[in-house]
Each structure stands twice: as C-alpha cells, then as structure tokens.
Amino acid sequence: CKEDDIKKIKNIVSELGEEFDINEKDQKKIYLYIKNTVERHLFNYKLYKKLFRRIKPELIVEFCSYRNLMFTVSKAASDLSIKTVEIQHGVMGKHHAGYNFGSVDKLETFPDYLLMFGKAWKDATRLPIAEDKLILIGWPYFERRIAESKIEKGTKTNILFLSQPYS
C-alpha cells in the first residue's frame, strides 16, 4: 500500500473505533485485515491484467461478483475493455448486502451485464448498471424440472426452503 492509502485506512479504522467503541487491540486487527485485503487486491489486479493481456478474452463470466477476487477481476477487465457478465446464482434483493447499491449508477468492480432469473428479481434489487444491461433469462434448470414434475396441482403441500435470507 502507498503511504497515503495507509493513512486513509488508519483514519477509517480510528473513526470506526470511536463510533463503535472498539478497543485498540481490535482496531489493530481491523487495520491489518483491511490493509492486507487492499494489498492482495493490488497484487491480484496486476496479475489479472497481465493474464488478460496475454489470453485476450472476449468475455468473462462470473457467478458471484461481490467476492473480493471478483471485484479485482471485474476492475482489471474493465480497464482493458473486456466485457463481464454475471449469472444470477441465488437470492437477490434490497436485503442482500452483495446486491444493494442504493443510488450508485456504475461501479468498475461490478460486471457489465447481469443475467437474471426474472423481472421480480430485477425489480427487487438495486444494481449499479443500466436497465438495458439486465437480461432476463429465466431459470432454465428449475423450469425444466417443473415441466418434468409428475406432481399434480392440489395433490400435496410443498414447502420451499431458501438457503439465503430474503424479505
């Protein structure tokens, strides 16, 4: 990290410490975690830019854009004008921290396109990309399984359990 970045991280951690009454030992842990994350991002960013220049991909497909490594991949791809697309992989909405961007219009660390299960998910989620970049593709696996199902309507009660919270 550059000295300026280190100062910024220290200031952020100090403000968090004051606001949430965090002791110095824990503030040091938070500082080290953030500093290491930033350093890892910078290292991986250079690595991915070098890799992408070498292999020249036309498109990068992502399955979980909010992971630290995927932020780095998307940023490197964006800087090299390589398109990125994420395929929806689960629950999305205003209560999912990975997909709740409020009024942010564009992030270099978010994919260029998002393939989504349907309009309900699009309407429930605040995303940092233009409307025309949200592509509704349905959920082919689920739709095929429903079509193959032998269960007749009204014959039994079905309960759906989601592994991610959503409301």
Side-chain angles (χ1 to χ4, degrees), residues 72-126:
T72 306
V73 167
S74 289
K75 172 67 172 138
S78 175
D79 288 350
L80 296 172
S81 300
I82 300 167
K83 295 295 180 200
T84 54
V85 60
E86 179 174 3
I87 299 172
Q88 183 177 350
H89 60 280
V91 175
M92 299 173 86
K94 66 181 179 178
H95 299 293
H96 189 306
Y99 298 105
N100 187 358
F101 294 93
S103 61
V104 175
D105 291 331
K106 175 68 179 146
L107 288 176
E108 292 177 325
T109 58
F110 197 81
D112 297 306
Y113 297 89
L114 181 58
L115 306 181
M116 302 184 76
F117 295 156
K119 186 177 182 319
W121 297 107
K122 182 178 86 167
D123 293 345
T125 310
R126 298 181 290 189

Side-chain angles (χ1 to χ4, degrees), residues 13 17 21-31:
V13 171
D21 195 27
I22 302 170
N23 65 50
E24 283 189 41
K25 182 180 175 185
D26 288 338
Q27 284 186 43
K28 179 72 172 174
K29 289 178 186 177
I30 294 168
Y31 163 77

Side-chain angles (χ1 to χ4, degrees), residues 6-116:
I6 289 173
K7 286 180 186 176
K8 288 177 185 176
I9 295 168
K10 285 182 178 179
N11 286 338
I12 290 169
V13 171
S14 177
E15 288 179 26
L16 286 171
E18 289 176 25
E19 182 69 26
F20 297 102
D21 195 27
I22 302 170
N23 65 50
E24 283 189 41
K25 182 180 175 185
D26 288 338
Q27 284 186 43
K28 179 72 172 174
K29 289 178 186 177
I30 294 168
Y31 163 77
L32 289 173
Y33 176 79
I34 294 171
K35 181 178 172 281
N36 290 339
T37 300
V38 170
E39 287 174 344
R40 199 168 34 255
H41 168 76
L42 294 171
F43 175 82
N44 286 333
Y45 172 77
K46 290 176 186 174
L47 184 74
Y48 277 102
K49 274 187 81 170
K50 186 175 183 176
L51 174 68
F52 296 159
R53 281 188 182 116
R54 175 180 258 179
I55 65 173
K56 298 176 178 39
E58 292 181 32
L59 178 72
I60 296 172
V61 179
E62 303 176 10
F63 289 93
C64 191
S65 67
Y66 56 85
R67 291 179 35 230
N68 285 341
L69 183 60
M70 296 318 300
F71 290 151
T72 306
V73 167
S74 289
K75 172 67 172 138
S78 175
D79 288 350
L80 296 172
S81 300
I82 300 167
K83 295 295 180 200
T84 54
V85 60
E86 179 174 3
I87 299 172
Q88 183 177 350
H89 60 280
V91 175
M92 299 173 86
K94 66 181 179 178
H95 299 293
H96 189 306
Y99 298 105
N100 187 358
F101 294 93
S103 61
V104 175
D105 291 331
K106 175 68 179 146
L107 288 176
E108 292 177 325
T109 58
F110 197 81
D112 297 306
Y113 297 89
L114 181 58
L115 306 181
M116 302 184 76

Side-chain angles (χ1 to χ4, degrees), residues 131-149:
E131 182 86 14
D132 65 331
K133 308 285 181 159
L134 302 173
I135 302 165
L136 307 181
I137 61 167
W139 189 2
Y141 171 79
F142 181 72
E143 292 162 359
R144 188 173 56 251
R145 296 292 302 193
I146 291 295
E148 294 169 355
S149 173

